[in-house]
Amino acid sequence: MGKGRGLPKKGGAGGKGVWGAPGQVYTYQEPDARDPNYDEAAQGDTVYQKVIPEMDESGMQKTVQPVVKEYFEHGDTEEVLALLQELNLGSQSSGVPRLAVSLSLEGKASHRELTSRLLCDLCKVLSEENMAQAFDRLLTDLPDLILDTPEAPQMLGQFIARAVADHALPLDFLDRYKGRVDCEQARAALDRAAVLLRIKREIIRLDNVWGVGGGQRPVKHLIKEMNLILQEFLVSGQVSETERCLQELEVPHFHHELVYEAVVMVLEGSAEGHVLKVVKLLKALWESGLITLDQMNRGFQRVYSELPDLTLDVPLAHNMMEKLVDLCYKEGVITQQLLDQCPSRGRKRFVSEGDGGLIKQ
């Protein structure tokens, strides 16, 4: 029976109580979960990483559309940005501004103003090229957009001009399309943007591109707009144009300012025709429902409270006020209660009139 060559078993690396060949250094080996001696608790803290899958176009629209519509209600761009940062938009990043503009085209002027502000703030999370890609797609989609919004080319041109002025779009955005546009609607939009930027080249922001954006505008600005509307009416006498301008302001809660300004304008004016015109305007606005009972009462009551101060500058303010209130009541513009609230100045009785109780007229 052979006894072998007498060499150590496995070169000295095997056998009972042997941990390997002399001088061998073992490196760290990852624990094997299939090892019977594997202890999960001894492996230290386990770190889990949240992985958000990238959205496709349909998923982006389904998720972002409610966010934009809700933004039209609260107007807080920071909330929108916070929600977008939780999403993995990836290649669909340009779809956010495109979707916002598309929705605002079918909405009000205040929605378009809010959208322009959102586009400006989106630069914090999107690049200029993302924004440029969005408007590239919008220009391409114009033939479809005009089916629902015939004024889409002009509106898109205004969006482009405002975005360039707000540095949301590259300054050379319009130059990229020179001589390269075949679509008639796209040319109209780009021409509109070019005209606005040329007119407003000395203004940093085109803040008035959408007119007055409802309650988002300062009160002083709204008061100025109300005065302009009244002045234009006194010149033109067109009630329909006044109604249209008042509706575009989108501030039904502030219509009492128009009543107040109209009454004060009558008291401070001397033309007889102004009284009749103002009564005509208030009657038309009352009958159309643009000015409610509450707004009408509030406007007149504001003048009532300021009548003593107005009399200092206009001595005949009380007489003019009584005349205007009587005419408005006869035309059904104000109620009997509001008529009775009108302050009246008591006539002075002179001593020379004797004790006969005669009152100087």
Side-chain angles (χ1 to χ4, degrees):
M1 184 176 182
K3 298 185 181 290
R5 294 178 295 165
L7 298 176
K9 187 177 181 181
K10 297 183 180 179
K16 185 176 181 181
V18 179
W19 292 91
Q24 183 176 356
V25 178
Y26 289 93
T27 59
Y28 174 78
Q29 294 183 350
E30 290 289 340
D32 188 356
R34 295 173 295 180
D35 190 334
N37 296 322
Y38 177 78
D39 185 4
E40 183 177 2
Q43 305 307 316
D45 296 334
T46 303
V47 179
Y48 296 95
Q49 183 176 2
K50 184 179 180 181
V51 178
I52 304 176
E54 182 176 332
M55 286 188 168
D56 56 11
E57 184 172 357
S58 61
M60 183 275 299
Q61 291 182 352
K62 184 178 179 180
T63 304
V64 175
Q65 185 168 336
V67 174
V68 174
K69 288 184 176 180
E70 186 177 348
Y71 165 69
F72 288 158
E73 299 297 328
H74 60 69
D76 187 357
T77 58
E78 293 299 326
E79 182 176 337
V80 177
L81 296 182
L83 292 172
L84 293 179
Q85 287 175 336
E86 296 177 359
L87 306 176
N88 183 8
L89 294 171
S91 60
Q92 298 299 324
S93 297
S94 62
V96 176
R98 176 172 58 83
L99 182 60
V101 172
S102 299
L103 291 173
S104 68
L105 292 178
E106 302 175 4
K108 306 175 182 178
S110 59
H111 292 169
R112 292 187 282 277
E113 171 62 26
L114 288 171
T115 301
S116 288
R117 296 183 187 183
L118 179 61
L119 295 180
C120 181
D121 287 348
L122 279 175
C123 294
K124 299 175 183 178
V125 295
L126 301 180
S127 66
E128 284 188 344
E129 286 306 313
N130 289 143
M131 201 68 68
Q133 292 171 7
F135 280 96
D136 286 339
R137 178 73 178 271
L138 287 166
L139 288 169
T140 303
D141 293 343
L142 267 178
D144 296 327
L145 293 175
I146 61 174
L147 298 178
D148 296 323
T149 311
E151 303 85 5
Q154 289 73 29
M155 291 182 180
L156 185 57
Q158 292 174 204
F159 269 118
I160 293 173
R162 175 72 176 268
V164 171
D166 289 348
H167 304 290
L169 278 175
L171 294 175
D172 64 344
F173 181 79
L174 295 180
D175 296 334
R176 303 178 183 183
Y177 291 91
K178 285 185 177 179
R180 303 178 182 177
V181 181
D182 297 327
C183 176
E184 181 180 353
Q185 292 83 9
R187 280 201 304 269
L190 295 169
D191 290 343
R192 174 64 174 167
V195 169
L196 288 173
L197 289 171
R198 187 163 56 248
I199 294 175
K200 305 290 185 179
R201 62 182 179 276
E202 297 180 358
I203 299 179
I204 298 177
R205 295 168 67 94
L206 292 170
D207 282 338
N208 61 343
V209 72
W210 300 117
V212 177
Q216 302 293 329
R217 292 297 187 182
V219 172
K220 289 184 179 180
H221 187 92
L222 292 175
I223 293 175
K224 182 179 178 180
E225 290 292 329
M226 294 288 186
N227 273 297
L228 290 175
I229 290 175
L230 285 172
Q231 291 171 9
E232 290 177 3
F233 169 74
L234 293 177
V235 173
S236 66
Q238 296 181 359
V239 175
S240 59
E241 180 66 15
T242 304
E243 291 178 343
R244 184 188 66 80
C245 293
L246 193 60
Q247 288 175 330
E248 287 185 354
L249 286 180
E250 298 180 24
V251 283
H253 61 282
F254 202 64
H255 285 177
H256 62 85
E257 180 65 28
L258 182 76
V259 179
Y260 169 82
E261 296 291 344
V263 175
V264 171
M265 195 173 290
V266 168
L267 299 183
E268 295 179 346
S270 57
E272 181 71 20
H274 286 183
V275 179
L276 299 178
K277 281 187 175 181
V278 166
V279 173
K280 174 186 175 183
L281 175 63
L282 293 179
K283 181 180 179 181
L285 296 176
W286 167 257
E287 292 177 345
S288 65
L290 277 177
I291 295 183
T292 63
L293 177 62
D294 176 67
Q295 296 294 310
M296 187 72 74
N297 289 345
R298 188 174 177 185
F300 271 92
Q301 288 166 354
R302 286 177 59 194
V303 181
Y304 289 170
S305 63
E306 297 181 12
L307 203 52
D309 294 332
L310 290 171
T311 307
L312 299 178
D313 298 324
V314 186
L316 297 178
H318 274 89
N319 295 336
M320 293 291 295
M321 189 70 198
E322 290 176 1
K323 181 179 180 179
L324 176 63
V325 169
D326 287 339
L327 286 174
C328 288
Y329 176 70
K330 291 177 181 178
E331 294 294 331
V333 177
I334 63 175
T335 62
Q336 178 70 48
Q337 183 180 4
L338 190 60
L339 174 66
D340 295 338
Q341 291 175 4
C342 179
S344 59
R345 169 181 287 181
R347 298 183 177 90
K348 293 182 179 180
R349 181 177 182 273
F350 293 89
V351 176
S352 61
E353 294 173 346
D355 297 329
L358 296 176
I359 303 298
K360 185 175 178 65
Q361 299 294 328

